[in-house]
Amino acid sequence: MHDTGHAGALGDLSGFRIAFYQCLTGRADALFELTDAVLCADGPVTSLAELSLAAEHRRGHGALYDAINYGSIEVDRLRTTLAGLPLPRAADGRIVLAVDVSPWLRPDAACSPDRLFCHVYGRSRSASQLIPGWPYSFVAALETGRTSWTAILDAVRLGPSDDTTAVTATQLREVVGRLIDAGHWHQGDPRILIMADAGYDVTRLAFVLADLPVELVGRIRSDRVMLRPAPPRLPGANGRPRKHGGVFTLANPDSWHAPDRTTHTDTTRYGHAQAQAWDRLHPRLTHRGPWLDHEGELPLVEGTVIRLQVEHLPGDRDPKPVWLWSSVTDATVELVNLLWQAFLRRFDLEHTFRLLKQTLGWTRPKLRAPESADRWTWLILAVHTQLRLARPNIEDHRRPWEKPVTQPRRLTPARVRRGFRNLRSTTTRPAAAPKPSRPGPGRPLGSTNRHPALRHDVGKTIKRDLTLEQHQSRTA
């Protein structure tokens, strides 16, 4: 992040607090003080009711729940505000974005609609589970170097009728558009890098976003089969020209040809790292999944395949090669190094998810309505943004067993949060004082609930109009 000085950083923080308050159009004072309670609470957030006891929250727990359930936030305006803040950049000055999904697990909330089966990892390395919950797709800007900081720019909840690839493409298109409108990218600047982990159809994303100044990098499975470009057509040859060339099987070294680029880098964390790059390889596309409704002949989406092999991993684990596919073609040695190093920075987003869940209490509330969950999610994102803006002005309040940090930029988000209460008195506080009121009568004593909540199914409840066979026969 560019250092604007302590005064400039404090001005950015105060300006964001005012802009964030203006985005709150219903129960604004209660919602704003709730974010201050999350920022200044002692220790991790365990429940919403406990936040009402913080000194920064001058209202009761009833007003807190009323704000979460019935307040309103202008989300589009808040997204524009986040895009206008200073952004971290890579070593060469370009913007690096990461996209990933993190679930809010609600296995026992049978009365909560729009739940999906979310893939989570079990305690053992090979164990995985599918647990009902609300999956959220996040887009964040990454910093350079080893850090636990990211700049979250957007969050979208995935519903039962949503196609993950289509929602991600729309989300990335809107985020990039807001960054361009905010002046973070101009004509002639290096293209924006977008990092995606395994599970994303990075080829489809590269095809849909081809009109934007972006380059996609995604991890692919080690059992994938890629194809080389078709060889030149010989003079006088008859028949239909070939569309694909030879097979490039990732798991079979005998099918590889000599790499177009090979780099060697000595790292402090992984030892010696070797990256081999093969240019202009493409997958074989079929009319399935996101390509089901594609009209006409399927395109050839060429890119660069990168095989990254490191010497060792933390914890003395056996290092396995990582395969990446990038939409970049004719990549230089310097660009190949930048691509795999930027992809490793994508894992910084996992630290952000851990902070949101374990420290800021993103998934702690037992909310029934998904709209309330969206509202609470955006409040947590506003909290995280304020921590990022407050980083240059926070003094380290370390525990006796923690190592001292001399540079504020090296403070973790949790340690910045410890000192936010002292900084809050120097920033703007637009929330008005509460007015005296009386609680409502509530349900009469001894009466029972005659309107039980509806129970909702879990999973993809929206089916396609046509089966795959019917769709193929119709388009034939």
Side-chain angles (χ1 to χ4, degrees):
M1 174 185 288
H2 300 290
D3 187 9
T4 57
H6 294 280
L10 185 60
D12 292 339
L13 175 60
S14 299
F16 174 77
R17 287 171 64 87
I18 295 177
F20 170 61
Y21 181 79
Q22 294 173 349
C23 296
L24 307 177
T25 55
R27 275 80 169 181
D29 297 330
L31 290 174
F32 189 87
E33 289 191 351
L34 179 57
T35 59
D36 277 357
V38 176
L39 284 165
C40 303
D42 297 329
V45 176
T46 57
S47 68
L48 288 178
E50 293 290 338
L51 291 175
S52 65
L53 302 178
E56 289 74 17
H57 193 275
R58 298 174 292 180
R59 291 162 172 82
H61 64 278
L64 183 149
Y65 280 100
D66 184 69
I68 289 293
N69 292 322
Y70 302 103
S72 59
I73 304 176
E74 290 187 11
V75 176
D76 292 339
R77 184 175 181 180
L78 183 54
R79 288 186 173 118
T80 304
T81 302
L82 293 176
L85 297 176
L87 280 185
R89 296 176 180 265
D92 63 344
R94 74 170 69 204
I95 301 174
V96 181
L97 303 180
V99 57
D100 202 356
V101 175
S102 184
W104 182 340
L105 301 181
R106 297 303 310 279
D108 300 328
C111 298
S112 295
D114 297 345
R115 291 184 304 159
L116 297 176
F117 286 107
C118 304
H119 179 272
V120 296
Y121 291 98
R123 292 185 179 272
S124 62
R125 184 175 300 179
S126 59
S128 60
Q129 302 175 6
L130 291 176
I131 300 178
W134 291 315
Y136 281 83
S137 175
F138 291 86
V139 176
L142 304 180
E143 294 190 3
T144 182
R146 292 170 55 186
T147 178
S148 57
W149 288 95
T150 60
I152 303 180
L153 300 175
D154 192 23
V156 174
R157 177 174 50 83
L158 303 177
S161 60
D162 292 334
D163 181 83
T164 303
T165 303
V167 172
T168 304
T170 302
Q171 185 181 18
L172 290 173
R173 180 177 295 277
E174 294 176 352
V175 170
V176 172
R178 288 192 292 267
L179 294 180
I180 296 176
D181 294 340
H184 291 294
W185 189 89
H186 301 87
Q187 192 69 29
D189 292 346
R191 287 175 169 263
I192 300 174
L193 291 179
I194 299 178
M195 303 294 147
D197 202 6
Y200 284 93
D201 192 342
V202 63
T203 307
R204 175 67 179 180
L205 292 177
F207 175 77
V208 175
L209 304 178
D211 59 321
L212 296 179
V214 299
E215 293 172 348
L216 277 295
V217 179
R219 185 167 63 169
I220 56 179
R221 294 171 56 96
S222 59
D223 58 354
R224 288 288 300 272
V225 177
M226 310 298 286
L227 300 173
R228 298 183 179 91
R233 185 176 175 85
L234 298 177
N238 298 323
R240 183 178 181 181
R242 293 184 60 180
K243 185 176 181 181
H244 308 291
V247 175
F248 187 95
T249 305
L250 274 58
N252 183 15
D254 296 336
S255 65
W256 306 349
H257 58 275
D260 300 298
R261 305 285 186 273
T262 301
T263 67
H264 299 272
T265 308
D266 292 327
T267 65
T268 59
R269 185 173 178 84
Y270 306 104
H272 180 75
Q274 181 191 47
Q276 298 173 296
W278 291 269
D279 193 26
R280 296 194 178 278
L281 297 181
H282 63 274
R284 185 188 300 272
L285 303 180
T286 58
H287 282 91
R288 294 177 180 270
W291 302 97
L292 182 62
D293 297 326
H294 184 84
E295 298 181 358
E297 188 177 3
L298 292 174
L300 288 180
V301 186
E302 293 183 334
T304 301
V305 173
I306 301 175
R307 181 183 184 269
L308 176 62
Q309 179 68 59
V310 299
E311 184 177 359
H312 58 80
L313 294 176
D316 296 330
R317 291 181 296 170
D318 183 23
K320 296 182 180 180
V322 176
W323 290 92
L324 306 176
W325 186 90
S326 173
S327 60
V328 180
T329 55
D330 300 326
T332 61
V333 173
E334 293 77 10
L335 184 55
V336 170
N337 274 331
L338 176 63
L339 293 178
W340 70 261
Q341 292 176 11
F343 177 80
L344 294 183
R345 296 273 59 81
R346 191 211 67 82
F347 294 97
D348 296 339
L349 194 56
E350 304 296 336
H351 296 282
T352 300
F353 292 154
R354 181 181 300 178
L355 172 78
L356 299 183
K357 294 181 179 181
Q358 298 184 359
T359 303
L360 303 183
W362 170 42
T363 59
R364 286 289 184 175
K366 305 301 181 182
L367 302 176
R368 174 181 295 180
E371 295 78 14
S372 300
D374 295 344
R375 205 169 292 118
W376 171 247
T377 299
W378 279 104
L379 294 183
I380 294 298
L381 298 191
V383 168
H384 184 267
T385 302
Q386 294 184 59
L387 291 177
R388 181 170 63 91
L389 297 177
R391 178 166 44 157
N393 298 90
I394 293 295
E395 296 183 2
D396 187 16
H397 296 269
R398 68 183 182 92
R399 301 290 189 256
W401 54 85
E402 295 176 340
K403 296 181 180 180
V405 178
T406 57
Q407 300 179 359
R409 190 177 183 274
R410 302 302 302 173
L411 287 176
T412 62
R415 292 173 74 162
V416 170
R417 180 171 173 261
R418 295 175 192 166
F420 193 88
R421 174 170 284 172
N422 299 332
L423 182 65
R424 177 179 175 271
S425 60
T426 63
T427 62
T428 55
R429 288 167 288 176
K435 299 179 180 180
S437 61
R438 294 182 180 180
R443 185 185 303 169
L445 185 62
S447 63
T448 59
N449 184 12
R450 298 181 180 179
H451 303 281
L454 296 177
R455 292 178 173 267
H456 302 272
D457 295 331
V458 183
K460 293 286 188 179
T461 57
I462 305 300
K463 305 297 182 181
R464 292 185 180 271
D465 297 334
L466 300 175
T467 63
L468 180 59
E469 291 77 8
Q470 294 172 341
H471 190 277
Q472 291 176 347
S473 62
R474 188 187 67 172
T475 57

